[in-house]
Amino acid sequence: MLEFTQSQPLTLGVELELMILNRRDYNLTRGSDDLLLQVDRKPHGFDIKPEITQGMIEIGTAVHSDVNAMLEELLAIRKLLVDSAHKLNLGLAGGGAHPFQHWDDQRIYPKERYQLVSELYGYLAKQFTVYGQHIHIGCPDGDAAVRLTHYLARYIPHFIALSASSPFYQGVDTSFQTSRLTSVNAFPLSGCMPVVDSWSAFNDYFERMEALGIVASMKDFYWDIRPKPEYGTVEIRICDTPLSIETPVLLAAYAQMLARRCFEEEWNDICSEPYLTYSYNRFQACRFGFDGVMVDARTKQQQGLQEDLLDTLRALEPHAEALGSQRQLAALRQRALKCHSDSRWLRQIFEQSGSLSEVVRRQSEHWMYAEPGVGVN
Amino acid sequence: MTIPLWHNLMLNPLAAFGILLALGVIGGQIAVRVARLPAITGYIATGLIIGPYSLNLLNQQLLNEASLFVQLALGIALFEAGRRVDLRWLRVEKTLLATTLLYCLLVFASLFALLNASGFGAPASLMLAALGMATSPIVVLEIVRESRADGQVSERLLTATALSSLLAMAGFALALSYTHLSADHSVEDGILMPGWLILGSVALGLVAGLVTTQLNRWLGGHQREAQRVLLFGLIALLVGAADMLQLLALLALLVAGMSTRTLRHGYTVSEPGILSLSHVFTVAFFVSAGAHLSPQALASHWQLALLCLILRSGIGMLVWWLAARGNGLSRKQGAWLGLALSPMNSGSALLLGLGMVSLGEAAQSFSAALMAALLINEIAAPILTRLALRLAGETAGASHA
């Protein structure tokens, strides 16, 4: 039986997986240990930890109610990391996947869980050298978490389009806005949570899976959105790590507004029908970004993703006001209106320079030094 | 038409190059598969066996004729070593620069004291001590490539290697100057010649770096293959030009590599893999380096050569161990970095001619001592470097440090 820890509703936390690069050709480098050694030489209370391969590092914020405070914390973490990276001549960058690293060159971090994942999944573990943003939203109880997970599934394509930043993979343009999610799809327990309507139903499902020896903990589910009972949150795991330090905050603000609407309206319309089109809509967003289409299985209507996002943002205005996130809502609307995405910017740099090393150099410079408000677009 | 008889057959340079490569690869594989040693050790041992001082399958003349490929291999390695030096980083990370300087200074002083006490005389001791400061870029790069080493120890090792080569060449020119002046040669010989060597080589390297960067920029990143061929051509041209102008090709190449890393638009110089593309030349380089080694030189100088190796490695481990924290490393990593710096620069042998001219009677002993040091070093040091990187946890499949 999984116990769901109660948490303050609508509180937020984000986790960002970052690339560790050499500053010679901007390929991934085995730098997580060296960087952590350097970071930990200064006293700090931040959550900075290794990830599955050694060219990755993960940072996490504390729990916030106010997204502006979250941005302040992210800036402080960035300063600490950048100071340490300078000492070691390492680059750090956002982006969902490194454009030209070779998966076989990556090394699994020597931690028991990662070694087990590597043994179980073989080359998939090394191919999992992709970089995502996770957003945690506080929920009052497990039932609310189940409801919120289903509610957010409808908006997953929005998060994909807003965060897409991995158009290149293994040295080629994939023609996708985000190639990262293809790596995630390969895992057998990826996708979405089954259609359960309460925390007890979820527990039944979990226990059956556990009894079959398929899972041992929630970590074994690689779902796009999943309840996180030990934190008392719902975790959105679909986003690429954005290129800018402030975009994660915009995405968190969007999730917070959506969650508020779900809780305020006491939404409980859980059924299997929307999942008929879930994978298709997700694919459209990965492939075409703002230009994708979304199919509503209930109304049997199609709508452009950009239009759907703008409609949703309009509907969220009262919630933005209540949460004090009007500035973030306006910034999101601007992005949607202008179809601004990190992927487009990365393609433009490649078009100009012809060099993927230069692409990564620019994305690293941006993550490490750009002031908030200076978007890539 | 008469059919040539076996004993009348003479190897031509192409056949010699083929033998160099084929036997080198076999020797390298034996080292890797049987003895679990770096392939370099196998290449060098092969050269040693087939060289003029042993089986004489390849005589001195054929080796000279194959030297073109050897110089190209060295040129590419030095260019790549130069590209590993990030001057912007060194401005921030002064500890790395200071540690490298201290290490080189201590190695120089210790080797000078040892050689002088062994009766080599000040001029020869100065030259040998200056050459002894340099770690071999080609050996270090090849070990890093072969063992797929990656991380902070490897990065600092490569920077220190390139810097030590720069210092060694400057030191050698100064020692040369001192030797000329103390032998009552003309002032032109004593000052102008070393000055020309240093400044001319640096200028040539800078010009080459500038030209390389601009031409690559003009070609554009969409012409990757053309950029690679161009880079290869420019390196060959630089080696040839340095030879024609009687400059230090080693220094010019290092400077060229460094400038392409530092100059604006330097990123346009294609980075990944120029050394891996030139692997053919690298194998030829090591086999040829082995063939040039004279086991006979060991007879009179083996103790001294062994002492030099121990001294260099010991100083390296101590200095980098002490400076580990400042370099962002653990103490263990620091010590292993110091050990990894063991390979002496076999390119030093190319400077031998310059030293020989000015040393007069002492030249024979100078040459034999350097040969002995190189022989022991080239066999043992690659093994030490790979071991050090493995213990530092930076090679593929290494245990975690």
Side-chain angles (χ1 to χ4, degrees):
Chain A
M1 175 83 178
L2 294 167
E3 288 295 330
F4 193 90
T5 309
Q6 278 193 339
S7 68
Q8 180 72 33
L10 303 180
T11 49
L12 288 171
V14 299
E15 294 159 340
L16 297 174
E17 291 157 347
L18 299 170
M19 299 182 198
I20 306 176
L21 311 155
N22 76 51
R23 296 185 103 166
R24 194 175 62 257
D25 63 359
Y26 284 86
N27 201 345
L28 289 177
T29 189
R30 195 200 64 85
S32 55
D33 264 346
D34 298 321
L35 189 61
L36 284 169
L37 183 70
Q38 193 59 33
V39 163
D40 290 340
R41 282 185 175 159
K42 293 175 192 167
H44 68 85
F46 299 126
D47 179 17
I48 303 173
K49 54 189 180 221
E51 249 297 334
I52 187 163
T53 57
Q54 295 182 38
M56 310 175 78
I57 199 158
E58 184 182 282
I59 60 174
T61 66
V63 179
H64 292 278
S65 304
D66 175 15
V67 286
N68 295 306
M70 176 186 280
L71 179 59
E72 290 302 315
E73 190 188 2
L74 279 176
L75 288 169
I77 295 174
R78 180 175 78 166
K79 184 174 184 321
L80 175 69
L81 281 174
V82 167
D83 287 348
S84 304
H86 281 166
K87 171 87 187 160
L88 307 175
N89 207 25
L90 296 172
L92 298 166
H98 189 278
F100 63 90
Q101 58 90 15
H102 196 280
W103 64 267
D104 187 39
D105 292 334
Q106 306 314 317
R107 304 191 197 164
I108 301 293
Y109 192 85
K111 185 173 160 185
E112 193 184 356
R113 173 166 168 79
Y114 297 144
Q115 300 289 357
L116 288 174
V117 168
S118 175
E119 275 173 33
L120 177 62
Y121 292 113
Y123 86 120
L124 291 184
K126 286 186 176 181
Q127 286 206 329
F128 207 42
T129 306
V130 287
Y131 303 83
Q133 172 184 353
H134 300 174
I135 304 167
H136 288 268
I137 310 156
C139 294
D141 54 49
D143 287 342
V146 168
R147 279 194 288 125
L148 182 60
T149 302
H150 289 302
Y151 181 81
L152 289 172
R154 155 77 177 74
Y155 301 100
I156 280 304
H158 296 176
F159 284 97
I160 294 173
L162 285 166
S163 69
S165 57
S166 50
F168 303 104
Y169 191 63
Q170 303 279 293
V172 290
D173 189 331
T174 58
S175 77
F176 274 58
Q177 301 301 309
T178 165
S179 62
R180 166 181 157 269
L181 290 170
T182 313
S183 302
V184 184
N185 289 348
F187 284 84
L189 299 175
S190 62
C192 47
M193 185 177 78
V195 187
V196 291
D197 60 1
S198 65
W199 187 244
S200 64
F202 181 83
N203 259 312
D204 287 345
Y205 165 77
F206 181 84
E207 280 165 12
R208 284 169 64 193
M209 293 293 276
E210 193 180 31
L212 291 167
I214 297 173
V215 299
S217 78
M218 283 301 294
K219 282 183 180 173
D220 295 319
F221 294 114
Y222 290 81
W223 297 332
D224 297 341
I225 327 167
R226 69 183 181 192
K228 189 83 173 170
E230 59 268 43
Y231 292 177
T233 63
V234 164
E235 183 185 14
I236 302 173
R237 299 153 49 81
I238 198 78
C239 302
D240 280 3
T241 300
L243 299 184
S244 304
I245 188 75
E246 67 167 357
T247 311
V249 177
L250 297 182
L251 295 167
Y254 184 46
Q256 192 184 32
M257 290 176 229
L258 287 168
R260 187 174 189 278
R261 189 165 72 162
C262 173
F263 293 158
E264 287 290 308
E265 294 175 1
E266 295 184 4
W267 182 90
N268 199 17
D269 187 15
I270 300 167
C271 64
S272 60
E273 205 155 14
Y275 288 102
L276 276 177
T277 57
Y278 180 87
S279 297
Y280 181 77
N281 291 345
R282 186 181 185 272
F283 162 78
Q284 283 283 320
C286 290
R287 172 70 177 85
F288 302 108
F290 292 113
D291 295 327
V293 293
M294 290 179 65
V295 183
D296 189 326
R298 287 183 162 173
T299 62
K300 300 181 178 60
Q301 299 286 309
Q302 287 197 1
Q303 188 175 24
L305 191 151
Q306 182 200 24
E307 200 184 343
D308 193 72
L309 173 59
L310 286 168
D311 286 350
T312 308
L313 289 171
R314 207 170 297 120
L316 288 175
E317 277 169 8
H319 300 284
E321 200 175 333
L323 291 163
S325 307
Q326 294 99 322
R327 198 173 62 78
Q328 285 76 20
L329 186 85
L332 288 164
R333 182 179 287 126
Q334 279 304 306
R335 281 179 185 233
L337 279 170
K338 294 179 179 169
C339 292
H340 278 173
S341 78
D342 289 351
S343 284
R344 192 170 78 165
W345 185 72
L346 293 171
R347 284 195 167 103
Q348 280 169 357
I349 296 173
F350 182 68
E351 189 61 34
Q352 291 157 12
S353 66
S355 161
L356 287 175
S357 290
E358 175 62 4
V359 168
V360 189
R361 186 185 76 79
R362 294 278 297 276
Q363 70 188 82
S364 173
E365 295 280 308
H366 192 82
W367 194 87
M368 291 173 84
Y369 307 119
E371 292 298 321
V374 184
V376 291
N377 303 294
Chain B
M1 184 187 154
T2 53
I3 297 170
L5 295 171
W6 170 251
H7 62 270
N8 288 335
L9 280 177
M10 290 288 286
L11 281 178
N12 60 27
L14 195 60
F17 186 59
I19 287 178
L20 215 63
L21 284 183
L23 292 184
V25 168
I26 293 167
Q29 284 301 304
I30 291 171
V32 171
R33 294 182 193 195
V34 179
R36 298 192 181 280
L37 293 172
I40 294 177
T41 309
Y43 304 148
I44 291 170
T46 306
L48 199 57
I49 293 165
I50 65 174
Y53 301 106
S54 305
L55 296 179
N56 200 24
L57 188 58
L58 294 180
N59 60 31
Q60 195 60 50
Q61 190 196 338
L62 283 169
L63 279 177
N64 292 343
E65 282 166 346
S67 69
L68 180 67
F69 304 109
V70 171
Q71 285 184 34
L72 261 179
L74 195 59
I76 291 165
L78 282 158
F79 182 84
E80 186 150 322
R83 276 189 68 80
R84 300 291 181 133
V85 179
D86 187 344
L87 293 179
R88 291 185 205 94
W89 183 36
L90 286 177
R91 269 207 298 274
V92 178
E93 180 51 349
K94 294 188 174 67
T95 318
L96 173 58
L97 186 62
T99 315
T100 309
L101 288 173
L102 178 65
Y103 162 73
C104 287
L105 195 68
L106 285 177
V107 167
F108 176 79
S110 316
L111 286 179
F112 175 74
L114 175 69
L115 293 163
N116 205 29
S118 306
F120 278 86
S125 302
L126 278 174
M127 279 191 215
L128 281 171
L131 294 176
M133 283 194 285
T135 298
S136 168
I138 193 163
V139 172
V140 170
L141 278 165
E142 186 60 18
I143 292 287
V144 166
R145 190 196 65 78
E146 187 185 313
S147 57
R148 295 167 70 195
D150 182 21
Q152 204 53 211
V153 171
S154 309
E155 208 58 39
R156 281 168 197 262
L157 167 67
L158 288 162
T159 303
T161 297
L163 288 177
S164 73
S165 294
L166 275 178
L167 285 170
M169 276 179 266
F172 181 77
L174 290 175
L176 203 59
S177 181
Y178 171 81
T179 309
H180 281 299
L181 291 174
S182 62
D184 290 333
H185 289 183
S186 65
V187 175
E188 286 80 12
D189 278 351
I191 295 172
L192 286 182
M193 201 263 273
W196 168 244
L197 280 179
I198 296 286
L199 297 177
S201 307
V202 169
L204 181 66
L206 282 173
V207 170
L210 197 64
V211 170
T212 307
T213 305
Q214 292 306 318
L215 282 175
N216 270 284
R217 196 178 165 212
W218 174 74
L219 278 175
H222 293 286
Q223 303 295 329
R224 240 358 171 201
E225 285 307 311
Q227 282 188 333
R228 283 205 185 99
V229 175
L230 174 77
L231 187 57
F232 195 74
L234 288 173
I235 289 172
L237 179 61
L238 183 52
V239 173
D243 191 44
M244 287 188 293
L245 295 167
Q246 296 185 318
L247 293 171
L248 296 176
L250 311 180
L251 183 55
L253 284 154
L254 266 177
V255 172
M258 281 171 68
S259 58
T260 59
R261 176 79 185 264
T262 309
L263 287 171
R264 201 157 170 256
H265 302 297
Y267 70 86
T268 55
V269 178
S270 71
E271 174 59 42
I274 182 75
L275 190 70
S276 58
L277 288 175
S278 66
H279 194 57
V280 166
F281 301 119
T282 314
V283 174
F285 173 86
F286 286 115
V287 179
S288 173
H292 275 107
L293 295 175
S294 154
Q296 291 80 357
L298 273 185
S300 50
H301 291 293
W302 70 270
Q303 288 155 313
L304 186 69
L306 199 59
L307 213 51
C308 284
L309 175 68
I310 293 168
L311 203 58
R312 287 180 83 250
S313 303
I315 290 171
M317 290 182 80
L318 181 67
V319 169
W320 290 90
W321 178 78
L322 286 171
R325 248 187 103 81
N327 278 293
L329 303 171
S330 68
R331 291 281 198 200
K332 268 188 199 171
Q333 285 178 312
W336 299 137
L337 197 164
L339 183 65
L341 281 163
S342 296
M344 257 178 81
N345 193 347
S346 51
S348 307
L350 299 177
L351 299 175
L352 204 62
L354 286 170
M356 300 275 274
V357 174
S358 56
L359 280 176
E361 285 179 11
Q364 208 61 32
S365 163
F366 169 82
S367 162
L370 186 60
M371 273 299 170
L374 285 176
L375 178 67
I376 289 198
N377 200 280
E378 292 204 3
I379 297 289
I383 302 169
L384 294 179
T385 300
R386 193 181 68 171
L387 177 71
L389 289 173
R390 183 176 290 167
L391 291 170
E394 300 216 341
T395 57
S399 62
H400 212 57

